Amino acid sequence: MRASDYVASFLVAQGVRCVFEVIGGMITHLVDSCHRQNGLKVVSVHHEQAAAFAADGFGRITGIPGVALATSGPGAINLLTGVGSSYFDSSPAVFITGQVNRNEQKGDRAIRQLGFQEADIVTMAQPITKAAWKVEKPEELPQLLEAAFKLAISGRPGPVLLDIPMDVQRAEIQTFGPEKKVSTDCGTPIDPVAITELLNALNSASRPLILAGGGVRSAQAVDLFREFVGAVNIPVVTSLLGLDVLPYNHPLRAGFIGSYGNRWANLAVGSSDLLLVLGSRLDIRQTGSDTEAFKKDRLIFHVDCEAGEMNNRIRGCTAIRSHLYPFLVEAICLSKQRHFPAKHTWAAEIDKLRIQWPDILENKDRPGINPNRLMHELSEASTRAAAFVTDVGQHQMWAAQSLDLQGNQRFLTSGGMGAMGFGLPAAVGTAMANPGTPVVVIAGDGGFQLNIQELQTVVRNNIPLKIVVINNQCHGMVRQFQQSYFDERYHSTYWGYSAPSFARLAHAYGIESLTVESQASIASALDLMWADPSRPFLLEVMVDTLTNVYPKIAFGHPFTEMEPFAKPIAMEGT
Ligand SMILES: Cc1ncc(C[n+]2csc(CCOP(=O)(O)OP(=O)(O)O)c2C)c(N)n1
């Protein structure tokens, strides 16, 4: 069997339904084999970075590694931002790069390059992958491919890169029967004594909270998580990547925490006496820089599959090292053997904070469209969407603060990498994972211009993306930073920066579009956007340039002290 045909059949056996690529000489064999493979769609995009983000999106949604292919040299190097995004946000992915023929490789020679477009992608990818391997001999291919898929989904998921020289791709290899789906490895079972101690502490705490992170999703444990939360009856705050572990209207959902978290959620953490952290690495964007204030005298139990993530920034936590899936199975089993009465006073305290600090009033002094209100209206109109995928910037934070996610709607964003340009291509991958189901993209005018070319992929494949570009005519998040720390010198964010009319641009691509400039016209614009759920649509929403994301943890302050230092609504006018 030809090696490239083997790769294509192996991908289908793993449940991979599409691969994302930009063509190039060193990848033609693989693309040709994928094209001829039943059950596999080749999605041709227009930048390898977009192919990588699309694979990342596919992997996050399905739990099956997303696959992107790229040619040697510039193609492979263009993948890297997306490879890093999968690595930092733990999404399973396998990146396959074509390499020049083995007899054209420079090897140990003291030269820069031998073959045309030869580049050492394996070394470049090493720090941002779980593993990066070059296939040196055709007969190694089956074993390396299997190892790549297993590693991508085992433990904390992430990307693996396989570099396959062109002559290896076209070689004949021996195979042994139909390919099998590789299985994941959840590690050693968890000690029930540690869980019993945790459950005892949860029961005796008077103001306990669960902090859920992206690890709950990457462990494929959302259903278990919801069952556990129901069993222990404890309110849940989430990190940015954990935003969709509970629907917005879940009675135990207590909001999104962090640098731009809901004010009530940060205050609730500040008042808690016990925090159970599940699959979250407590990074600076969640806790603020004042780690002492975050820990205080609170009991913190931290469950994670990576030892290095626990007692890292926040010290004094009780670390339980476990993959979340077996942890939750055991924790549900033990928690069902006892009664966890609802903590009514604590729940009422959190509710009071929520009512005191409505998200839509944080920005009440700015003219024009209120972005938090917009997010509520957008999500109310978008119940048919399978997912909301954001780019990076202020709009990302407004979305995290104020989208009302329903049922199993997903929220995807570039967390650790924080890569502008993620939204549109990641939404392409998300939509390919749910063919026919619409997906909402939320982007800013700056980041949208980084992968705007993928509008052509949307049109070519008739992908039902509902694209909302929040156009504040600036790189808003950095402009807000310059406002605070650079005396309003807005170079490169507003001065010297510009954006086109996105509605007219969408029209040029053949996508229906509309621009809205007032709060009053949003409802009818959303109706139009959803008039045909099966078609792409671009809605450009004009927002005042000086609109900030509030609340925001004030630099150097504890995470409970957020800008603007406003008074609660109840004290307004006093
Ligand atoms: C690839 C990349 N380059 C630069 C940045 C730094 N950065 C973070 S947010 C931001 C502004 C984004 O502007 P826009 O997309 O218009 O969104 P807004 O903040 O206005 O909502 C910039 C430049 C980044 N995160 N990623």
Side-chain angles (χ1 to χ4, degrees):
M1 186 178 197
R2 184 176 272 243
S4 57
D5 290 340
Y6 175 80
V7 173
S9 65
F10 182 89
L11 296 184
V12 171
Q14 305 317 307
V16 175
R17 295 189 294 276
C18 54
V19 296
F20 304 93
E21 57 77 41
V22 177
I23 196 70
M26 295 304 120
I27 205 81
T28 43
H29 285 288
L30 277 166
V31 169
D32 184 58
S33 296
C34 290
H35 157 70
R36 287 186 289 101
Q37 176 67 48
N38 279 341
L40 196 58
K41 182 175 168 64
V42 177
V43 182
S44 298
V45 300
H46 302 279
H47 194 300
E48 289 83 357
Q49 183 186 102
F53 284 146
D56 180 341
F58 183 93
R60 290 188 204 210
I61 292 291
T62 59
I64 297 166
V67 175
L69 313 177
T71 195
S72 62
I77 294 170
N78 276 347
L79 285 177
L80 288 175
T81 308
V83 174
S85 161
S86 313
Y87 187 61
F88 297 133
D89 287 354
S90 317
S91 38
V94 173
F95 295 99
I96 304 180
T97 49
Q99 185 54 277
V100 299
N101 293 314
R102 284 171 295 173
N103 63 2
E104 294 172 82
Q105 291 173 15
K106 77 179 189 68
D108 295 334
R109 294 180 184 87
I111 54 175
R112 295 189 185 185
Q113 196 182 41
L114 186 63
F116 171 60
Q117 295 184 327
E118 181 189 6
D120 181 3
I121 192 65
V122 166
T123 303
M124 286 184 235
Q126 227 115 42
I128 49 168
T129 50
K130 290 182 84 175
W133 299 311
K134 189 194 284 177
V135 184
E136 305 280 2
K137 298 185 198 131
E139 56 272 26
E140 290 175 0
L141 183 67
Q143 179 211 340
L144 285 178
L145 204 51
E146 186 177 328
F149 270 78
K150 192 167 180 75
L151 188 59
I153 57 174
S154 293
R156 181 173 174 184
V160 178
L161 183 138
L162 271 190
D163 194 32
I164 314 182
M166 176 123 161
D167 59 322
V168 172
Q169 294 173 37
R170 61 169 186 265
E172 289 294 319
I173 56 171
Q174 213 188 347
T175 56
F176 304 93
E179 307 327 319
K180 292 200 195 79
K181 193 169 186 332
V182 300
S183 57
T184 170
D185 180 358
C186 288
T188 47
I190 169 73
D191 173 11
V193 176
I195 302 187
T196 304
E197 276 168 22
L198 164 68
L199 296 179
N200 289 343
L202 281 179
N203 229 345
S204 47
S206 46
R207 293 186 307 284
L209 274 180
I210 294 171
L211 164 54
V216 176
R217 277 280 171 198
S218 53
Q220 305 292 314
V222 169
D223 290 343
L224 288 176
F225 173 78
R226 291 182 181 181
E227 195 180 340
F228 174 68
V229 168
V232 294
N233 235 325
I234 286 173
V236 177
V237 291
T238 76
S239 70
L240 181 65
L241 292 184
L243 206 78
D244 59 9
V245 297
L246 284 185
Y248 192 81
N249 60 2
H250 191 286
L252 288 165
R253 184 179 183 278
F256 153 62
I257 66 154
S259 300
Y260 299 93
N262 299 122
R263 201 184 285 255
W264 69 81
N266 278 17
L267 291 172
V269 175
S271 303
S272 65
D273 60 354
L274 184 152
L275 202 56
L276 167 59
V277 183
L278 299 178
S280 170
R281 66 196 169 90
L282 296 175
D283 78 309
I284 190 164
R285 286 293 179 109
Q286 285 169 59
T287 64
S289 54
D290 188 344
T291 50
E292 300 275 303
F294 192 87
K295 171 66 182 73
K296 248 179 149 183
D297 44 10
R298 251 178 289 289
L299 269 180
I300 301 185
F301 287 83
H302 193 169
V303 187
D304 203 286
C305 62
E306 290 200 335
E309 295 292 1
M310 295 176 289
N311 287 310
N312 174 25
R313 292 185 61 253
I314 308 290
R315 301 291 171 89
C317 306
T318 304
I320 301 179
R321 186 167 173 205
S322 171
H323 191 282
L324 279 185
Y325 199 98
F327 167 83
L328 285 168
V329 169
E330 189 70 30
I332 290 167
C333 179
L334 293 175
S335 59
K336 283 193 170 152
Q337 294 166 15
R338 54 169 81 195
H339 178 55
F340 287 84
K343 305 193 190 267
H344 294 296
T345 322
W346 175 222
E349 209 177 303
I350 297 173
D351 265 352
K352 196 168 153 209
L353 287 171
R354 197 194 328 251
I355 292 160
Q356 270 182 325
W357 299 106
D359 51 3
I360 55 170
L361 292 188
E362 294 281 359
N363 248 318
K364 63 182 180 341
D365 297 330
R366 288 300 334 145
I369 291 173
N370 177 316
N372 293 92
R373 190 184 292 274
L374 169 74
M375 294 302 161
H376 286 297
E377 292 182 75
L378 173 64
S379 36
E380 274 159 32
S382 307
T383 50
R384 276 168 290 206
F388 294 81
V389 184
T390 80
D391 212 83
V392 169
Q394 291 180 311
H395 59 279
Q396 174 193 29
M397 296 301 149
W398 290 320
Q401 290 172 339
S402 301
L403 282 176
D404 309 20
L405 300 175
Q406 314 276 318
N408 286 315
Q409 280 184 324
R410 298 290 308 273
F411 178 81
L412 270 67
T413 197
S414 176
M417 183 63 106
M420 283 165 74
F422 174 86
L424 179 61
V428 166
T430 302
M432 286 296 172
N434 294 290
T437 315
V439 170
V440 174
V441 182
I442 301 170
D445 50 286
F448 199 63
Q449 295 189 69
L450 267 70
N451 274 315
I452 201 163
Q453 75 285 348
E454 298 313 325
L455 287 175
Q456 188 58 31
T457 309
V458 173
V459 172
R460 170 82 182 76
N461 296 281
N462 191 27
I463 302 174
L465 296 191
K466 303 297 180 186
I467 304 164
V468 180
V469 180
I470 312 288
N471 188 351
N472 53 5
Q473 300 115 69
C474 67
H475 283 143
M477 181 161 271
V478 186
R479 186 211 52 74
Q480 181 171 346
F481 188 69
Q482 291 170 323
Q483 187 175 20
S484 301
Y485 304 108
F486 291 86
D487 294 328
E488 303 183 2
R489 288 189 301 279
Y490 292 141
H491 204 278
S492 309
T493 55
Y494 186 47
W495 307 343
Y497 164 84
S498 61
S501 156
F502 293 97
R504 279 161 56 197
L505 210 117
H507 184 73
Y509 277 96
I511 295 175
E512 203 187 337
S513 59
L514 181 72
T515 303
V516 283
E517 308 202 17
S518 70
Q519 191 78 47
S521 39
I522 286 176
S524 58
L526 291 172
D527 283 349
L528 183 67
M529 179 168 97
W530 281 105
D532 183 352
S534 69
R535 306 264 311 143
F537 190 99
L538 187 144
L539 180 65
E540 178 177 21
V541 182
M542 305 308 290
V543 166
D544 183 82
T545 299
L546 293 180
T547 312
N548 284 338
V549 193
Y550 285 140
K552 179 184 180 191
I553 299 177
F555 186 74
H557 283 245
F559 69 106
T560 43
E561 293 180 19
M562 300 183 84
E563 291 173 337
F565 296 110
K567 299 175 190 134
I569 189 172
M571 291 166 66
E572 199 78 348
T574 62

